[in-house]
Amino acid sequence: MTIQTLIDELAATLGPAGVLVGDEVSSRGAGIWRTDKIAAPVIFRPATTTEVAAILRACHAAGQPVVTHGGLTGLVEGAVARPSEVVLSTERLNKIEAVNAIDRTMCVQSGVRLQAAQEAAAEQGLLLGLDLGARGSCTIGGNIATNAGGNQVIRYGMARDAVLGLEAVLADGTVLTSMNAMLKNNAGYDLKQLFIGSEGTLGVITRVLLRLRPACRSQDTAIVACESFAQVTGLLASLDVSLAGTLTAFELLWRDFYRLVAGDAPPLAENFPYYVLVEAMGGSPDTDRQRFVAALAEASEQGLIADAAVCKSVAERQKLWAMRDNVEKTLEQKPAIIFDVSLPLSKMEAYVAAVMAGLDEAFGDHSTWVFGHAGDGNLHFVVAPGEALDPAVRERAERAVYEPLQAIGGSISGEHGIGLEKKRWLPLSRSEEEIALMRRLKLALDPNGILNPGRIIDAVSGS
Ligand code: FAD
């Protein structure tokens, strides 16, 4: 069957709003921070789970590869479609179906934007414990498919921890409805886990039952400068104890990144090697504030703080977060590669030094910025090698960042996933047996290999 026959067949089921071709496809960007356009010949835009099932049934029968699109904010080329692939976009699966304040749950379709879900929870005095800089564009389905992390993992966990149940459509069109609403359910295999973090390779997520938490009434934020990495790890340990479970963010900025994003009126002088954005959230504004200030004072007495500024207003807090989230600033001047790795905190200082030495050796004139969710052992590097980003240059940069991870048990992906971009490096973080089992799962759930083919792993070893 040709793609055109498939389009004609599905147009009858999906109607005009459900099928985009021609300019309506090729004028769309292939992803955030990308300059290329969507190369697939068609975008299917189902509005119901039944329509998703119809698309996949037809593609499965035709052996037609399908790439799922959420908000296209993913950073590992997972959703970048080739001309031989068709796109299934969740953009019309955008309804918030219910918020249950007693059960503290929210039921959403997978194309709902993260920010819309956060706002719907807040309207009921509840909180969705998932937040990332791409909140306005990324979708809940994409967040779950990538098991997104973000800014509050230290308190609420990754996307996985916010999912109680989900509905997914398998490659052959089978609808798997597993909309569990309980925290506890040990009735056999927990099948939802198959779809969380598998980057759309095992099924298309259509609906999700999210776990909500009580909304916080206080949000105290500070920026802290440290003279050494030992101070940074000491600060984390100290605040974790003194803030008694309310520490919600611990974001670390190395000096060069801080200097780049701090702007004309930096909150602290720019001569310290490390800066930490610290945030605590709680239920009692006055006492929470006192505790927050006391926790910082105690850390200071312990010799863990070189300088600090506590936010006095919502505007100050927003400015600090805008600074931390301004990753785009690193991409303004030169072509650059974004890395996302994780590793034990105890190895972080030596690891960053090893990466910098490797980059210095590989590139005479690179600019590299380091920052990340250090409280979770998750770091980002943005490397501008000072040369055009051809495959050989990429490989040299990737080698410098990824290879030192193997000996220390780190991961080539803390939160962004593998996609197409990191596939060749997967054996640094996963054993042969683990990758073989991934292949068996893929083959069992998607025997014709139509769902996001070639992302994470090749279906057949070495293919
Ligand atoms: P897309 O980019 O559309 O897709 C990502 C992958 O998921 C693709 O493989 C796609 O095929 C698959 N997919 C999408 N929807 C579905 C579905 N319904 N069913 C099955 N598969 C699906 N990531 C973090 O983890 N933490 C961060 O802090 C973070 N910060 C970011 C900040 C910025 C400014 C940007 C641009 C990105 C950031 N990211 C971060 C990366 C990105 O936002 C996340 O990976 C996000 O979860 C992707 O969601 P999306 O809807 O855009 O998915």
Side-chain angles (χ1 to χ4, degrees):
M1 188 189 274
T2 64
I3 291 186
Q4 189 54 52
T5 320
L6 191 71
I7 294 172
D8 295 342
E9 184 186 314
L10 285 168
T13 311
L14 304 176
V19 182
L20 302 183
V21 291
D23 285 353
E24 285 185 309
V25 177
S26 58
S27 59
R28 290 184 175 208
I32 205 161
W33 297 339
R34 294 185 66 90
T35 50
D36 54 335
K37 304 288 183 190
I38 293 180
V42 60
I43 299 178
F44 294 120
R45 303 193 315 149
T48 63
T49 300
T50 309
E51 290 183 358
V52 174
I55 295 166
L56 294 190
R57 210 176 302 117
C59 290
H60 175 75
Q64 171 58 52
V66 186
V67 175
T68 304
H69 279 188
L72 292 185
T73 67
L75 297 174
V76 292
E77 298 177 14
V80 177
R82 307 164 176 123
S84 58
E85 297 170 329
V86 302
V87 167
L88 187 161
S89 167
T90 59
E91 63 198 49
R92 290 174 72 220
L93 293 169
N94 59 4
K95 288 175 202 58
I96 295 174
E97 294 182 354
V99 181
N100 186 320
I102 296 175
D103 295 339
R104 292 189 192 154
T105 58
M106 176 189 283
C107 183
V108 298
Q109 289 185 315
S110 59
V112 166
R113 308 265 167 195
L114 172 59
Q115 189 169 349
Q118 290 173 331
E119 287 169 2
E123 276 170 26
Q124 303 284 330
L126 294 165
L127 173 92
L128 174 58
L130 179 68
D131 189 37
L132 39 142
R135 64 186 76 77
S137 306
C138 64
T139 62
I140 294 292
N143 297 153
I144 294 168
T146 58
N147 189 25
N151 300 334
Q152 300 181 342
V153 173
I154 197 169
R155 171 98 177 255
Y156 296 114
M158 298 189 64
R160 186 184 302 284
D161 296 277
V163 182
L164 292 173
L166 55 72
E167 178 182 82
V169 182
L170 305 185
D172 65 1
T174 303
V175 177
L176 185 83
T177 302
S178 191
M179 297 292 275
N180 165 68
M182 287 86 69
L183 259 184
K184 291 183 154 181
N185 184 348
N186 278 350
Y189 297 166
D190 187 1
L191 294 172
K192 68 174 181 282
Q193 303 296 353
L194 284 172
F195 305 95
I196 304 174
S198 57
E199 301 182 45
T201 59
L202 300 181
V204 175
I205 299 161
T206 45
R207 292 165 71 225
V208 187
L209 228 141
L210 293 164
R211 174 187 185 184
L212 302 178
R213 318 283 184 132
C216 292
R217 298 189 188 125
S218 71
Q219 201 167 2
D220 292 300
T221 313
I223 179 103
V224 177
C226 295
E227 297 274 17
S228 68
F229 202 80
Q231 281 191 340
V232 173
T233 54
L235 180 67
L236 176 61
S238 171
L239 293 181
D240 241 347
V241 173
S242 53
L243 291 172
T246 63
L247 180 64
T248 311
F250 192 90
E251 299 288 310
L252 181 56
L253 288 62
W254 268 249
R255 175 166 43 211
D256 285 354
F257 183 72
Y258 179 78
R259 282 182 176 164
L260 184 77
V261 295
D264 296 337
L268 297 175
E270 294 181 315
N271 56 326
F272 299 101
Y274 305 102
Y275 298 82
V276 190
L277 191 163
V278 177
E279 189 162 274
M281 286 166 35
S284 173
D286 291 342
T287 48
D288 289 344
R289 180 72 172 185
Q290 283 166 15
R291 182 167 56 184
F292 186 72
V293 172
L296 289 172
E298 189 185 332
S300 183
E301 279 159 25
Q302 292 166 339
L304 300 170
I305 290 180
D307 199 0
V310 178
C311 294
K312 292 183 216 62
S313 64
V314 173
E316 278 186 18
R317 186 179 79 231
Q318 285 170 344
K319 207 171 149 201
L320 219 50
W321 273 109
M323 181 184 95
R324 156 61 186 91
D325 282 341
N326 193 4
V327 179
E328 216 167 347
K329 187 89 183 158
T330 61
L331 307 174
E332 268 174 10
Q333 292 147 18
K334 307 170 189 168
I337 312 170
I338 301 173
F339 290 95
D340 155 52
V341 299
S342 65
L343 64 151
L345 199 55
S346 58
K347 315 271 191 218
M348 200 174 271
E349 185 181 18
Y351 166 72
V352 172
V355 170
M356 288 303 191
L359 290 169
D360 288 346
E361 200 179 292
F363 305 104
D365 183 27
H366 67 98
S367 304
T368 297
W369 297 276
V370 195
F371 55 95
H373 316 290
D376 323 322
N378 184 193
L379 277 191
H380 299 307
F381 292 83
V382 180
V383 180
E387 300 176 33
L389 288 185
D390 65 32
V393 168
R394 252 181 191 282
E395 187 187 332
R396 274 191 282 150
E398 288 173 349
R399 208 169 276 290
V401 176
Y402 293 145
E403 281 185 346
L405 287 168
Q406 198 171 20
I408 55 174
S411 172
I412 60 163
S413 174
E415 54 178 16
H416 293 167
I418 299 298
L420 288 171
E421 191 188 283
K422 299 188 182 182
K423 183 170 58 171
R424 58 173 298 215
W425 300 102
L426 191 60
L428 287 182
S429 294
R430 296 291 190 201
S431 68
E432 247 177 66
E433 293 77 12
E434 286 175 304
I435 294 174
L437 185 54
M438 288 183 202
R439 283 205 180 95
R440 282 166 66 187
L441 282 171
K442 172 73 176 166
L443 201 63
L445 270 78
D446 181 12
N448 294 355
I450 63 160
L451 292 177
N452 284 2
R455 280 69 174 178
I456 307 181
I457 48 165
D458 289 313
V460 179
S461 173
S463 71

